[in-house]
Amino acid sequence: MPQDKLRIIACGAHPDDCEYVAGGTAGLWAAKGHAVKFVSCTNGDIGHHAMAGGPLARRRAAELAKCAKILGIANQALDNHDGELIPTLENRKKICTLIREWKADVVIGHRPNDYHPDHRYTGVLVQDAAYMVTVPFFCPDIPHLTHNPVFLYYDDKFRKPVPFSPDIAVAIDATIEKKLDCFDALESQFYEGGCNATADLVPKDAKGQAERRKKVRDEFRALFGEKAGKFRKALESRYGKPAAAKVRYAEAFEVCEYGRQPDEAEIRRLFPFFPK
């Protein structure tokens, strides 16, 4: 990659998490020629009400491949069982290796107080990497990073022990359709409802199926519209009040206190779609 291009790696617990919380921003980075990679820390092999194991893992990998094409990014699912992710030394080394191999400027992960154990432990693994990626003799077969990346958290709704802080809010109006296209591609999770649904969720007739797809898309469009309202003040700080008032869809991120601490100039360099 040219020296002026950014490299971003996002770690999610399951093969849909990154798309859900950062797909719009990833599309913005990719549209400017920056390199983005989404990593699922599990293969998602129990995330469905009617299938599991290898067949489901392969299906979800295929869904991720569709999303990567839609967004113009790379992605990878690690071969850890869904629901069984643990912050072991082996997994810490794996995450450090992936960050180093990508030569990341920005690393994004879950906050470690999420509802799902896989989300929490993905957050812990990313936190544990926030210093170790710079240590030369940790995973010495992969060159260490001489500059620590900026580490960010995804938006979430959990309030204890502390609520999410929208340090950086991004207008994703330009990429909302691509993000919604990803939800279409991730049909095992959203169209078919994932592990907590039942077989009767999906209609049998073509008209009903089309209506089901439209319903899912409309619900997610509304959700990310709500986030624009929720993060309006944070949007104003980077876009200005008049422009922020026109933003219809948004994603937000919190700066992790681990890793490099960016000043305003660096935030604007790392998020080059903010107005000058």
Side-chain angles (χ1 to χ4, degrees), residues 138-184:
F138 185 75
C139 302
D141 52 326
I142 305 295
H144 69 286
L145 299 184
T146 56
H147 292 89
N148 208 355
V150 171
F151 284 73
L152 304 174
Y153 295 128
Y154 307 120
D155 159 41
D156 64 51
K157 63 184 178 181
F158 304 104
R159 303 191 63 80
K160 296 180 180 179
V162 291
F164 171 81
S165 174
D167 298 322
I168 302 167
V170 178
I172 60 168
D173 296 39
T175 52
I176 186 61
E177 297 305 326
K178 288 185 176 181
K179 178 162 182 160
L180 296 175
D181 287 346
C182 287
F183 293 131
D184 286 338

Side-chain angles (χ1 to χ4, degrees), residues 34-274:
H34 304 294
V36 183
K37 182 174 184 177
F38 282 177
V39 174
S40 174
C41 291
T42 72
N43 60 18
D45 58 359
I46 61 168
H48 198 270
H49 60 274
M51 63 186 304
L56 180 57
R58 289 189 290 272
R59 182 183 181 191
R60 297 189 72 177
E63 291 174 347
L64 287 185
K66 292 178 182 178
C67 292
K69 187 173 182 179
I70 290 166
L71 297 173
I73 66 171
N75 62 22
Q76 178 180 356
L78 305 184
D79 197 22
N80 295 310
H81 291 302
D82 189 348
E84 299 182 15
L85 186 68
I86 298 293
T88 61
L89 178 57
E90 179 183 4
N91 283 330
R92 182 190 305 167
K93 289 181 176 180
K94 181 63 177 179
I95 297 301
C96 281
T97 296
L98 289 169
I99 293 170
R100 287 178 177 181
E101 288 176 340
W102 199 248
K103 298 180 174 63
D105 299 294
V106 177
V107 182
I108 318 177
H110 300 286
R111 292 202 303 159
N113 59 320
D114 202 288
Y115 79 106
H116 195 297
D118 289 344
H119 290 207
R120 291 197 299 273
Y121 294 141
T122 296
V124 169
L125 287 165
V126 171
Q127 282 184 339
D128 288 350
Y131 174 69
M132 301 308 294
V133 292
T134 69
V135 177
F137 292 106
F138 185 75
C139 302
D141 52 326
I142 305 295
H144 69 286
L145 299 184
T146 56
H147 292 89
N148 208 355
V150 171
F151 284 73
L152 304 174
Y153 295 128
Y154 307 120
D155 159 41
D156 64 51
K157 63 184 178 181
F158 304 104
R159 303 191 63 80
K160 296 180 180 179
V162 291
F164 171 81
S165 174
D167 298 322
I168 302 167
V170 178
I172 60 168
D173 296 39
T175 52
I176 186 61
E177 297 305 326
K178 288 185 176 181
K179 178 162 182 160
L180 296 175
D181 287 346
C182 287
F183 293 131
D184 286 338
L186 295 161
E187 62 179 11
S188 69
Q189 301 307 293
F190 301 110
Y191 175 64
E192 296 175 12
C195 63
N196 294 127
T198 57
D200 58 4
L201 180 66
V202 178
K204 300 294 188 282
D205 61 294
K207 181 176 182 293
Q209 291 170 356
E211 291 174 348
R212 167 69 185 157
R213 289 189 180 278
K214 182 179 184 303
K215 181 176 184 291
V216 170
R217 194 176 184 96
D218 288 348
E219 286 176 349
F220 280 111
R221 186 186 300 279
L223 172 65
F224 294 105
E226 291 172 4
K227 288 184 183 293
K230 179 179 179 181
F231 301 129
R232 191 73 64 189
K233 287 294 185 183
L235 289 165
E236 289 174 1
S237 71
R238 299 272 159 49
Y239 293 89
K241 194 166 186 177
K246 299 177 182 178
V247 173
R248 296 179 63 194
Y249 307 103
E251 292 173 346
F253 306 91
E254 178 178 341
V255 177
C256 175
E257 59 186 353
Y258 305 154
R260 193 166 74 252
Q261 299 301 291
D263 58 16
E264 183 62 25
E266 183 165 22
I267 288 173
R268 290 183 175 273
R269 181 181 71 83
L270 296 174
F271 290 81
F273 21 82
F274 291 146

